[in-house]
Amino acid sequence: MAYEITLLTIIGINLILALSLNLITGFCGQISLGHAAFYGTGAYCAAILTKAGLPFPPALLAGGVVAGLLGLIVGLTSLRVREDFLAITTMGVGFLFLGFVRKQSWLGGELGVSGIPAPGLSDLGYMVLAIGIAAAVALFSLYVRRSWMGFAFDAVADDEDTARVIGIGVAGYKLTAFALGTALAGIAGGLYAHYARIIVPDTFGFTLSVTILAMVVVGGIGSTWGVIVATVLLSLMPELFRFVNDYKLLLFGGLLLLTMRFSPGGLAGLTRETWHRLRRNQGRNREQVDDGTAARS
Amino acid sequence: MTAPLLALEDLRVRFGGVAAVDGASLTLEHGTFTGLIGPNGAGKTTLLRLIIGIVRADNGRIRLDGRDITKLAVSRRARLGLAMSHQIVRPFRSLSVLDNVALAAGRRRTRDPLLSLLHVKRSTERARARELLDLVGIGDAADAEPAKLPLGYLKRLEMARALALEPRLLLLDEPLAGLNHSEAHRLADTIAGIHQTGTTVLLIEHNLAEVMRVCRRLVVLDQGRVIAEGEPRAVMADPKVRAAYLGEAPHAAA
Amino acid sequence: MLYLNLFLQGLAQGSIYALIAVGLTLVYGLLRILHVAHAGLFALGAYISVTVTNATGSFPLAVLAAVAITGLAGMAIYRLLYEPILDRPPFVALIASIGLFIAMEEAFRLAFGPYGLSYAVPPNMETITFGGLFLSRAQILLMVVAALLLGGLGLLTERTRTGVAWRATVTDPPMAQSFGIDIVRVRYLSFFIGSALAAVAGVMISLINNLVEPTMGSVPSYKALAIIVLGGLGSVKGTLVAALALGVIEAFGTIYLGNLLDRDAIAFAFLILVLMLRPHGLFGAR
């Protein structure tokens, strides 16, 4: 039972992390290769605060706020540079975070922070907390998608210039996406820190950034349900198939590669296509009539 | 005395070494319908892009209702009542035709990112969008994906989207291009109808027959400057205009 | 003297960056793809050099094999991975490339073990000292080779018809195509030459460190991306200057900022600083 609780806690944290990146990359179309830095910021911030005596809940929130502020700053760079540059800039932020943390003795340097206080919940309670927050983030994502914010995000992700012409303040939306997404990543970080009770810089490296991106990409960029399914699968994979463990990264890289090469829409795109194909087979005749009218007029 | 709706003062912009707009000044009064013509490369499109804010002026001022908007961002100008239908169509390819227009119709909802989160209902805007699609004559394609539509539809989608912003000044860049004769005639009538409801219109169009039919005033641009303006027939009789158009006869006849 | 020495060490490191980054720039110029997996080819070149040398005893043969096989591998990556997804949004190829790179690193680890390989007979790496300066033989060789290869490449593109066509294509592919240049051939050529240069860089590093590891490509790969951005994306000349400049800046930075940031972070701090001031890179035009 303890094992399942651990696994579910990790899945919960990963879900928050993947859905938070999906807000930025999936909804608003801003690629980020440095998401682990915000996760790390939240983790370090919350850990240091609880070690200083602050109760767990406000420390967790503070981690989110600080990560969100940092995200806001990084979001400002997205206003300056175009897409390709943004990918590399965010990647740079990741390395910058790591390089900075490693050299700070007050953050424990290479050894990180240990002896992080227990959050005062049972393992089961903590699992419920992690899954609960993940569920809230998932509901929030689904809501955003339906709201006018999601509508405007679609436009920004699709074509910034045209979005501006119809009165959408592109900068404001990008900053909102970055601030929201990174703040949620910060909360995931705080949860992780108080679950692991020890954090080291290397946890928050480029590999993690790519792992989070993989969850989003394999699930289907922008699809909340796709991201949820992919996150659960990718989190479980090494656990369910122990023999895979040695080949974990190979499989992982291969999965990214194959998804992009053969189904850039991810699981969600694949499902949608299959669904459409099924429907087309059912209503082939009617579709043909519809196509005919559209082409003629 | 009230300020004119739009006043351009000595606008200049250079691309590389070439002056695209070279000291253009122009005034549009409230409620007017002006045709902007000129030979290819005269700087017509650039002038419209300057007004809407996609291109920044190297020199000169743009005033809307007397307010200096020269340095204002594109989205702010759109919210002040400027809308443009582009010559090169750029629909949001991930949205349906209807949602392309509905999103523009909801500009009050999207004005502030945080407030936009509080609104979910899209029915009012979609209904408005449907009306506009019917108005420009593409109501049948409301649920289509833009990528699958022919150019004539997309041109009208551009226009419906611009109209959805309820602009005070509507900038149209060759809205009739790519339409057949009767479609062009009908859309020109639609534009004239929009003008009737009080919208000020500035129209670039190579289809001179339609321009002469619907515009009350013509402005001729050549080499980035205004070389003539006034009542359409008088302007077309101007020798300077004829000289500028020399060699451009095929367009004039089109 | 310390300054001059730091400067030379920086140039040596910069030469490695330059050899790697040229290929990235070519690929970016032609396809607008950030070719992260390029650093995997750098490691591949190094692995081939060590294994072939150890198996045959002939270093020249190993270099030849490294250059040829890595060049062909680069062409294969274009044909099998990038060509089918060229019309997708840019992040698709970027993520695919990251995936390939991770898979390559893992493949090296599984095939050659996690601890790396060394030459059976260690190459002569004695440090030469004159007048207070010290550089290893391998570093000197590296700088000479880099100067010869990149200089030769520069001459080729300045002086020959093929070279001019090539440069034109890298700068503006659609324009070049309208002049009747076969851009698919140019792409294959660029992948071959870019990958071969990365292999040379790999060989040089294998000599300097006498060690090749599965993860040896990680740091260069991301740093080379930073370099091509600094160079203005798609400008070969800008890339070379940025590569050498970054090598030198890192060398000095580790001395003066070492207690604040590590070497990699310094590179990216510099990158972000430059991008904020000049969003199109140090040498980029709009």
Side-chain angles (χ1 to χ4, degrees), chain A residues 80 83-84 88 221 246 261, chain C residues 28 80 90-91 109 229 276:
Chain A
R80 290 279 286 168
E83 194 174 50
D84 296 336
I88 297 174
I221 291 171
D246 207 32
R261 169 71 176 76
Chain C
Y28 187 83
L80 300 175
F91 71 83
R109 188 176 66 84
V229 171
M276 288 307 101

Side-chain angles (χ1 to χ4, degrees), chain A residues 25 29 31 33 73 76-78 80-104 110 206-207 210-211 213-214 217 221 245-254 256-265, chain C residues 28 32 34 36 79-82 84-85 88-100 102-104 106-107 109-110 218-219 221-223 225-226 228-230 232-233 258-266 268-269 271-272 275-281:
Chain A
T25 303
I31 190 146
L33 293 177
I73 296 170
L76 284 172
T77 67
S78 79
R80 290 279 286 168
V81 299
R82 63 169 201 246
E83 194 174 50
D84 296 336
F85 289 80
L86 184 62
I88 297 174
T89 309
T90 50
M91 188 172 88
V93 170
F95 282 99
L96 208 54
F97 171 78
L98 220 53
F100 177 76
V101 170
R102 273 192 186 133
K103 293 282 180 180
Q104 305 308 309
E110 295 279 1
F206 187 67
T207 312
V210 175
T211 309
L213 189 64
V217 160
I221 291 171
N245 228 352
D246 207 32
Y247 304 87
K248 189 171 129 190
L249 275 174
L250 182 68
L251 207 72
F252 188 70
L256 272 185
L257 177 84
L258 294 176
T259 309
M260 288 294 101
R261 169 71 176 76
F262 296 105
S263 173
Chain C
Y28 187 83
R32 299 277 172 258
L34 294 170
V36 176
R79 175 69 192 84
L80 300 175
L81 181 58
Y82 294 145
I85 53 176
R88 305 276 189 182
F91 71 83
V92 171
L94 172 63
I95 296 170
S97 195
I98 293 175
L100 176 61
I102 293 174
M104 281 174 90
E106 281 303 291
R109 188 176 66 84
L110 293 169
S218 297
V219 170
S221 78
Y222 311 125
K223 230 175 263 179
L225 288 177
I228 66 167
V229 171
L230 287 173
L233 280 179
N259 52 355
L260 187 66
L261 293 170
D262 69 1
R263 191 185 180 100
D264 305 342
I266 289 169
F268 281 103
L271 167 84
I272 292 170
L275 275 184
M276 288 307 101
L277 300 174
R278 292 187 53 107
H280 298 272

Side-chain angles (χ1 to χ4, degrees), chain A residues 18-29 137 140-141 144 153 177 180-181 184:
Chain A
L19 288 169
S20 71
L21 181 63
N22 194 41
L23 266 173
I24 301 172
T25 303
F27 290 3
C28 197
V137 173
F140 178 69
S141 293
V144 167
F153 277 158
L180 276 177
L184 290 173

Side-chain angles (χ1 to χ4, degrees), chain B residues 227-245:
Chain B
I227 58 164
E229 58 183 305
E231 196 277 321
R233 267 165 228 298
V235 166
M236 290 315 285
D238 189 329
K240 270 190 304 201
V241 175
R242 292 185 166 268
Y245 261 96

Side-chain angles (χ1 to χ4, degrees), chain A residues 36-37 39-40 44 94-95 97-103 107-113 192 198-209 211, chain C residues 262 264:
Chain A
Y39 181 59
Y44 269 92
F95 282 99
F97 171 78
L98 220 53
F100 177 76
V101 170
R102 273 192 186 133
K103 293 282 180 180
L107 294 175
E110 295 279 1
L111 297 175
V113 181
Y192 169 76
I198 172 168
I199 47 176
V200 289
D202 284 345
T203 311
F204 310 105
F206 187 67
T207 312
L208 182 64
S209 288
T211 309
Chain C
D262 69 1
D264 305 342

